[in-house]
Amino acid sequence: MKKKIDIVYYPSFKNYIIFSDNIKFFHKIIDNVYQAPLFPKKNKSINLIFFKNLFKSNIIFKLFLFWISIGFNLLSNKSIAKECKKLKIKHKKINSISEIKLRKNQCLIASVSEIIPEKFLLRSKNILTPHEGQIPEWRGSALYVHYMISKFKYARSTLFFTGKKLDTPREINCKSKLIKIKNNTVIDLWYKLIYGSKENVFSFFNDYLYKNNIKKIKIKINKKYKIFTFPNSKDFQDLKKNKVKFFSLDNIKKLILFNE
């Protein structure tokens, strides 16, 4: 009998987009869904580096992040927990990913804000992370902003097998279709990259269910690749130089209504 897949996520609009439809399509092969904390913890305490980077970021970015996380959780009637309840999938809130009793070589898709514990990585080589950039070149956070101030013409999302360091994979599972960067607002690109992650997760489930296949593509990590973090005032100045808007009126309407 095919082993079932577990999911662990933090509650946000982003993860709702990535997982809600995939849970509906593939509920027969999903065993447990875990809800981890929104704010990352480090050694059972608050991760100060996360909040330091967030504090230094631009106010517009802070408001956007607040809205798609805390705003979504407080004001939206949508949630992964509700989808699980409808489909009779086990859904459990946890304080940390380390509370999960991981089975040997268990398939676990993890979209969380804390580093995957090393003991997990020793127990299973089938822990996957959806990522809003092309691994290994684009690692870190808020890549939808950094793509827009780069000289790159295309962006894409990646689903990879988690390694010991931040966004450093064991292997790649799949990459989304190329997304044109030009003529997008930052929020346009955010949506497209999140949808790319949704498609990648769909592809993984589909291959696993119908082909009994888990694709693993080896890659080389170049140590020169930069790790990006939350955008600061200079990054927003660069957006302005490149004549890139952070959002449009249509973007605001969609975000207010949490429309996919």
Side-chain angles (χ1 to χ4, degrees), residues 158-204:
T158 311
L159 183 64
F160 66 87
F161 293 90
T162 315
K164 292 180 182 179
K165 295 182 180 179
L166 178 68
D167 296 340
T168 305
R170 294 176 189 266
E171 296 98 6
I172 297 290
N173 176 257
C174 60
K175 295 179 181 180
S176 69
K177 295 172 186 175
L178 288 171
I179 300 162
K180 260 189 178 180
I181 292 173
K182 194 175 179 181
N183 298 327
N184 282 300
T185 64
V186 171
I187 303 303
D188 285 333
L189 187 60
W190 177 80
Y191 270 107
K192 289 175 182 178
L193 287 168
I194 300 307
Y195 269 92
S197 286
K198 176 181 176 177
E199 289 165 10
N200 289 339
V201 171
F202 180 93
S203 177
F204 170 76

Side-chain angles (χ1 to χ4, degrees), residues 215-244:
K215 287 184 287 189
K216 294 188 177 183
I217 304 159
K218 290 186 177 180
I219 57 165
K220 289 183 178 179
I221 300 291
N222 188 329
K223 291 180 180 178
K224 292 180 181 178
Y225 291 145
K226 182 180 177 180
I227 298 178
F228 295 91
T229 188
F230 296 146
N232 54 31
S233 297
K234 183 184 179 304
D235 294 322
F236 269 72
Q237 287 170 9
D238 290 338
L239 285 175
K240 194 173 181 180
K241 282 179 190 174
N242 289 357
K243 297 180 180 178
V244 174

Side-chain angles (χ1 to χ4, degrees), residues 2 26 29 202-215:
K2 196 184 295 292
F26 299 105
I29 57 167
F202 180 93
S203 177
F204 170 76
F205 274 124
N206 198 55
D207 286 347
Y208 186 73
L209 179 60
Y210 295 110
K211 300 177 185 176
N212 200 25
N213 177 39
I214 297 179
K215 287 184 287 189

Side-chain angles (χ1 to χ4, degrees), residues 105-141:
N105 286 327
Q106 167 71 29
C107 281
L108 174 71
I109 302 179
S111 183
V112 291
S113 47
E114 58 180 306
I115 301 294
I116 307 294
E118 192 171 340
K119 66 177 182 179
F120 272 41
L121 303 175
L122 292 172
R123 187 155 185 78
S124 176
K125 293 183 179 179
N126 293 322
I127 299 172
L128 297 105
T129 300
H131 181 67
E132 64 198 28
Q134 179 166 309
I135 290 291
E137 298 92 336
W138 290 83
R139 297 156 63 200
S141 306

